[in-house]
Amino acid sequence: MFPETRYDSETVQLERGHPVIFLSDGFCETQNSEGEFFGIESLLEVCENSRENSPEEILQQLTEAVVSYSCSRPRQDDRTAAILRYMGK
């Protein structure tokens, strides 16, 4: 998309039933009342604790976590997510 930008790629082996989660930066860049970011570590913790849940439940838990963290402050960025469960071999 941007020719001057370098992108890294990584290959992962999915097992049947594993969730695959794509999130925009609006989740980890949600700020609390002191201006601190929710951060990638907090996102990973919510995802890890939700991994057995349905994609809809994972999205709900992620959304609830960042809304709670932000103390219901107005959003400063979009929060876009695509969550699916790999049902391959």
Side-chain angles (χ1 to χ4, degrees):
M1 185 168 169
F2 302 101
E4 67 280 356
T5 303
R6 183 178 178 279
Y7 295 95
D8 294 327
S9 66
E10 185 174 330
T11 302
V12 295
Q13 182 65 45
L14 295 174
E15 299 291 332
R16 182 177 177 82
H18 278 178
V20 180
I21 304 170
F22 301 94
L23 301 172
S24 68
D25 62 355
F27 281 88
C28 64
E29 293 180 359
T30 295
Q31 296 179 2
N32 65 14
S33 59
E34 297 175 10
E36 299 167 328
F37 291 117
F38 188 68
I40 192 71
E41 294 300 323
S42 296
L43 276 178
L44 290 172
E45 183 178 332
V46 174
C47 291
E48 182 63 33
N49 292 335
S50 304
R51 70 184 307 153
E52 300 300 324
N53 297 340
S54 71
E56 295 84 3
E57 291 168 326
I58 294 170
L59 178 59
Q60 180 179 355
Q61 289 168 328
L62 284 166
T63 302
E64 288 173 359
V66 296
V67 168
S68 174
Y69 184 81
S70 72
C71 302
S72 300
R73 292 178 61 202
R75 286 189 202 179
Q76 297 173 338
D77 197 355
D78 72 289
R79 294 183 196 135
T80 304
I83 303 173
L84 48 113
R85 186 162 305 283
Y86 177 70
M87 300 306 288
K89 301 178 190 178

